[in-house]
C-alpha cells in the first residue's frame, strides 16, 4: 500500500506579520506551500496528498484540500479523516518549504517494523538550559537533544488512535509524535539537516529565501 501525505497549511502566521495565511506567503518566487508539494510529488512512495487549508482557499493542483481546525493537530485530524486509505501516513508542515525528497524518503525508511513513528530531527548545536523566571535551573546534556522537524511518519492505526484523544489534549500538542509518545509508542529519530527550518518570523523567511536561491546556483 502506498503512503499518504498530509500537509498542514491552515495556520494564520501571525508571528510572520503577513496579512494572509502563512503557507501562501511568497518565498523564493512561489507560495511557500508549493515547495513542500513539489518535494512530496517527487517521492514515488507517496500516492496521495491532502492539504489542510484555511476556509475558502483552493488546494494546489494534484492535491485534495480540506478545511483545517482550531490548532495544528486539529488540522492534521481533519486531513486524516479525509483519507480512507494510505499507510503509512506522513505529516508535514507547510511552514517547512526547505524539505527535500531525500529527507522525505529517509523519514519513510526510518519506520522500521518495531516502530510506531519516525520523525525528522536535527542534532542540537547550541547549549540548551532550562530556566525558571529568568534563572537557570539546569543545563541539559546536548548529546541527547534533537530539534524536531517534519516530516513525521506514522503507522495509520497509531496516528488514528493518537488523534482520537480529546480536543484539549490535541490543542496542547506542538507535534503529532508527542501524542504517540504519551501513549507509550516507539518513535524513531531520523537525522535531518538543520536547513529544513520552520518559518515563523520575517528573519526565518529571509534565511529560507537565501537558502532556496543557493540551491538554484
Ligand atoms: O503555527 P506553527 O508554525 O506551529 O504551525 C505549524 C504548521 O501547522 C503550519 O504549516 C501551519 O499552517 C499549520 N497549522 C494548521 N492549522 C492550525 C495551525 C497551524 O494547519 N490551526
Amino acid at each position: 500500500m502506498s503512503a499518504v501525505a498530509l500537509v498542514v497549511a491552515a495556520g494564520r502566521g501571525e508571528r510572520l506579520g503577513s496579512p494572509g495565511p502563512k503557507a501562501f506567503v511568497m518565498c523564493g518566487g512561489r507560495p511557500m506551500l508549493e515547495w513542500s508539494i513539489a518535494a512530496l510529488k517527487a517521492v514515488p512512495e507517496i500516492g496521495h496528498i491532502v492539504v489542510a487549508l484555511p476556509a475558502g482557499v483552493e488546494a494546489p493542483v494534484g492535491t485534495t484540500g480540506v478545511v483545517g481546525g482550531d490548532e495544528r493537530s486539529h488540522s492534521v485530524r481533519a486531513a486524516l479523516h479525509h483519507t480512507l486509505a494510505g499507510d503509512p501516513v506522513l505529516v508535514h508542515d507547510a511552514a517547512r518549504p526547505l524539505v527535500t525528497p531525500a529527507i522525505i524518503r529517509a523519514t519513510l525508511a526510518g519506520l522500521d517494523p518495531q516502530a510506531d513513528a519516525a520523525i525528522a530531527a536535527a542534532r542540537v548545536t547550541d547549549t540548551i538550559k532550562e530556566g525558571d523566571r529568568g534563572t537557570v535551573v539546569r543545563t541539559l546534556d546536548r548529546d541527547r537533544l534533537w530539534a524536531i522537524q517534519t516530516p513525521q511518519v506514522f503507522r495509520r492505526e497509531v496516528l488514528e488512535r493518537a488523534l482520537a484523544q480529546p480536543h484539549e489534549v490535541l490543542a496542547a500538542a506542538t507535534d503529532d509524535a508527542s501524542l504517540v509518545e504519551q501513549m507509550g509508542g516507539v518513535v524513531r529519530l531520523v537525522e535531518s539537516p538543520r536547513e529544513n527550518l520552520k518559518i515563523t518570523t520575517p528573519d526565518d523567511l529571509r534565511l529560507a529565501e537565501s537558502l532556496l536561491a543557493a540551491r538554484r546556483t
Side-chain angles (χ1 to χ4, degrees):
M1 195 187 298
S2 70
V4 61
L6 314 180
V7 180
V8 283
R12 290 167 296 279
E14 276 148 13
R15 285 167 292 181
L16 197 56
S18 67
K22 176 161 75 176
F24 295 86
V25 167
M26 291 302 282
C27 179
R30 10 147 94 156
M32 195 188 299
L33 170 64
E34 295 289 345
W35 291 101
S36 296
I37 300 298
L40 289 163
K41 281 186 177 168
V43 175
E45 291 91 331
I46 293 177
H48 188 41
I49 303 173
V50 179
V51 188
L53 296 160
V57 174
E58 216 171 293
V61 175
T63 73
T64 304
V66 300
V67 178
D70 293 345
E71 302 292 341
R72 186 188 171 285
S73 295
H74 303 131
S75 294
V76 176
R77 184 166 61 184
L80 181 66
H81 285 174
H82 210 80
T83 67
L84 300 172
D87 199 359
V89 180
L90 179 146
V91 181
H92 182 64
D93 284 352
R96 292 188 189 271
L98 285 139
V99 72
T100 60
I103 296 171
I104 295 165
R105 298 191 81 179
T107 313
L108 284 165
L111 189 69
D112 62 72
Q114 280 75 46
D116 295 298
I119 63 178
R123 287 192 179 276
V124 166
T125 54
D126 289 328
T127 294
I128 310 279
K129 296 182 192 285
E130 188 181 323
D132 182 21
R133 286 162 287 169
T135 302
V136 172
V137 175
R138 66 174 74 86
T139 302
L140 302 173
D141 177 4
R142 189 169 63 186
D143 289 345
R144 292 169 61 87
L145 295 178
W146 295 81
I148 301 310
Q149 307 175 345
T150 66
Q152 302 194 344
V153 175
F154 303 88
R155 297 203 183 284
R156 185 182 188 89
E157 166 271 321
V158 170
L159 187 62
E160 279 173 356
R161 255 191 303 133
L163 294 174
Q165 298 183 81
H167 195 87
E168 328 72 78
V169 175
L170 298 196
T174 53
D175 77 342
D176 307 294
S178 58
L179 297 166
V180 173
E181 291 152 38
Q182 285 159 26
M183 300 186 322
V186 176
V187 179
R188 302 278 189 235
L189 293 160
V190 177
E191 190 161 4
S192 168
R194 287 191 335 149
E195 188 180 306
N196 180 27
L197 58 90
K198 188 171 87 162
I199 296 181
T200 305
T201 65
D203 279 349
D204 300 331
L205 186 60
R206 276 190 286 277
L207 178 56
E209 294 207 299
S210 61
L211 290 167
L212 288 165
R215 274 189 197 171
R216 284 197 289 266
T217 54

